[in-house]
Structures are given as C-alpha cells and as structure tokens.
Amino acid sequence: MSMEISGSYSNFKTNYAEQMKEKQELEKAKKAEEVKKEQAEAASDKKSKLQDEYISSEKSGEKPSGLYRVGQDENGNRKVFFEKLNQLNPENEKNRTEEKDGKPPKADADKPEKEEICIGNTDRVEREIQKLKEKKKQLEQQIRSAFGDEKKIRELEQKKAQVEMELSQKDNDTYRRQNTSFTKG
C-alpha cells in the first residue's frame, strides 16, 4: 500500500533556526516601535513642563544680594562661595555703619592684616613609601633565595602581601595630602 501526498508544502519552513530568527526580528521591530513611542511621549512631556530660565536683575527690578564664585576650601576641594554684596563693595558697608554710629567703622575683624604663607612638606611620607618599596624588594629576593623551603616561602609571601597592602594604602595623592606637614614660611 502506498500513499501519495498531493499539494505543495514548499512554503512552510521546516528549519527551526530560521523560524526563531524571524520571531526575534519581529520582536526587535516591535520593541523599536515601542521605544520610539516612549521617546515621542517623553519629548512632548518635556515641552509641556515649565523650565527654569535666567532673568537678569535689570529685568526683574530687584537688586542682587551677592555673587557666587567657585574656589577651594582648606583641603583643596572645590567649593562654591557666596559673597554678599556689601562684602564685595566696602564703600556700601562703610556708609551703612557711619549712618548708624556717626563714626567711621573700625578695621574689619574678619580680614587678616597680613597673609600667612605656609609651606607643605611631603618628605616624611615619601621616605615612608620608599622604605616600604625597599622592604618589598627585599622580601622578593628572600622568596627567590628560599627555593626549597615551602614553609619559609609562605611566611615571606604573607609578609610581602602585608607590605603591598600597606603600600597601596599609602602610595596615593590622598594619603600624601592628609599627611603633609605645613610650616609657616
């Protein structure tokens, strides 16, 4: 008994890999459309929200209370400073205090009469780091020379690991900055 199949089945895919590839491509296309829709919605939301804008003191009619400037604090880190308007223009402050007392004001207590000059010295830290590097080299030589003694090698490697850890903690700019000694110059 024989059976004959009539019709063409050539349009059906029998290769599973091809079917999966087509599915993935369809999913990617759907995701891309969703992303485009989300971006369009986000863009329309941004346009509808109020945005901050700069209004000059001339347009607003108010006098500025002071100025901001970027500077460095005592540790050398960047910091934003606010200077009141009367600090910027000593004439204004002088006039205000003369009006209150009727006498000219005394010298500002906030301002030092002379600037102090300090000199930073990192020599102690550099010597400490150099000693650790030398100790590391010595331990490496001792490890090479203790070729057969496993116990001694393990002990020396532990010491070397401790020295490397201490060296990694100290051989950086932060440690140097924290341990700098300052003298008046």
Side-chain angles (χ1 to χ4, degrees):
M1 181 156 117
S2 72
M3 195 183 217
E4 189 175 310
I5 300 176
S6 63
S8 174
Y9 293 101
S10 63
N11 60 349
F12 292 106
K13 305 241 180 193
T14 56
N15 190 349
Y16 181 73
E18 289 177 19
Q19 289 176 353
M20 291 304 294
K21 205 179 236 186
E22 286 181 5
K23 280 185 181 180
Q24 289 175 350
E25 289 174 4
L26 287 173
E27 288 177 8
K28 286 181 183 178
K30 286 180 183 177
K31 286 182 182 179
E33 288 178 29
E34 289 175 8
V35 168
K36 286 181 182 177
K37 286 180 184 177
E38 289 175 5
Q39 288 176 347
E41 289 175 8
S44 66
D45 287 346
K46 286 182 181 177
K47 290 178 182 176
S48 64
K49 291 182 180 177
L50 293 176
Q51 294 182 348
D52 289 338
E53 64 181 87
Y54 172 75
I55 300 174
S56 68
S57 58
E58 295 169 356
K59 288 182 182 178
S60 68
E62 295 180 15
K63 292 184 178 181
S65 58
L67 294 176
Y68 290 93
R69 68 172 175 86
V70 177
Q72 291 184 343
D73 63 3
E74 58 274 355
N75 295 329
N77 300 325
R78 294 184 81 181
K79 185 177 177 181
V80 176
F81 293 97
F82 177 75
E83 295 176 351
K84 291 183 181 178
L85 191 58
N86 58 12
Q87 289 177 342
L88 295 173
N89 190 352
E91 294 288 324
N92 292 347
E93 183 67 23
K94 183 178 177 182
N95 293 339
R96 287 183 189 158
T97 54
E98 282 182 5
E99 290 173 4
K100 291 178 187 174
D101 302 343
K103 300 177 184 176
K106 296 180 181 176
D108 290 339
D110 296 341
K111 297 181 183 177
E113 291 181 17
K114 292 184 179 179
E115 286 187 17
E116 289 186 37
I117 297 175
C118 295
I119 299 171
N121 189 351
T122 59
D123 289 345
R124 184 184 57 81
V125 177
E126 294 299 330
R127 281 193 304 271
E128 190 176 340
I129 292 170
Q130 190 61 35
K131 283 181 184 178
L132 287 171
K133 287 180 180 179
E134 289 173 6
K135 188 173 182 179
K136 180 182 171 185
K137 284 181 183 178
Q138 288 175 353
L139 288 170
E140 287 173 348
Q141 285 179 341
Q142 289 176 1
I143 289 171
R144 279 188 242 122
S145 66
F147 181 65
D149 193 3
E150 292 294 321
K151 185 178 179 184
K152 188 173 183 180
I153 290 174
R154 272 190 254 122
E155 182 181 315
L156 291 171
E157 285 179 347
Q158 284 179 345
K159 287 181 181 180
K160 181 183 167 193
Q162 288 175 345
V163 169
E164 286 175 341
M165 186 170 49
E166 189 175 351
L167 190 59
S168 68
Q169 290 174 351
K170 293 182 178 182
D171 193 9
N172 59 52
D173 289 337
T174 306
Y175 184 80
R176 284 182 179 92
R177 223 180 277 130
Q178 290 173 346
N179 293 290
T180 301
S181 59
F182 291 97
T183 57
K184 291 182 181 181

